[in-house]
Amino acid sequence: MCHWTLDPVDRDATLANKALHRTPPDCRVLIEIACIRSPEDLLTVKRAYCSLYNHSLEEDVASRTTGDIRKGLMCDPTNEYLTALHTVIECIQDPKKHYVKERQWS
């Protein structure tokens, strides 16, 4: 049974892909991955996602989401939820740059 178990990076990439392919996409999974993983882990998840699905995680998030998630890509500074969502998306896009900056503020 151990041979069927994915390592954490591949598991996160698979969960992200399955979440993005639901109708509507389950963005809670993406937010959880972005919030609990370190910058290095996020980079390896992005690499694993690209390796497994031949797409970048950021492009799939941008193309498969609508509503608040899509607005979060643009960021509305007057809306706290969208600002937080934008921060999570930035952390996914460039973890080393944004994750450390956000951790300093919290």
Side-chain angles (χ1 to χ4, degrees):
M1 194 63 157
C2 291
H3 296 285
W4 293 64
T5 306
L6 295 172
D7 64 35
V9 172
D10 289 338
R11 183 189 64 234
D12 285 351
T14 302
L15 288 172
N17 184 265
K18 288 182 186 276
L20 286 170
H21 283 86
R22 288 187 182 164
T23 305
D26 185 2
C27 296
R28 295 173 297 175
V29 173
L30 302 173
I31 292 168
E32 182 176 335
I33 291 169
C35 290
I36 64 172
R37 298 291 179 229
S38 70
E40 293 80 19
D41 290 342
L42 285 176
L43 286 173
T44 56
V45 169
K46 286 172 50 174
R47 287 185 197 117
Y49 189 93
C50 188
S51 173
L52 291 168
Y53 303 108
N54 296 321
H55 293 253
S56 83
L57 179 57
E58 300 97 322
E59 289 173 0
D60 280 357
V61 168
S63 68
R64 297 183 185 277
T65 57
T66 58
D68 287 342
I69 298 295
R70 173 84 37 102
K71 289 178 191 173
L73 293 169
M74 312 304 182
C75 191
D76 176 6
T78 61
N79 185 323
E80 283 185 36
Y81 174 76
L82 293 181
T83 301
L85 186 59
H86 181 73
T87 301
V88 168
I89 292 168
E90 282 183 330
C91 287
I92 290 173
Q93 291 174 336
D94 191 351
K96 288 193 183 243
K97 178 179 177 185
H98 296 287
Y99 187 84
V100 172
K101 180 175 74 172
E102 294 307 321
R103 292 285 297 201
Q104 291 172 349
W105 289 104
S106 56

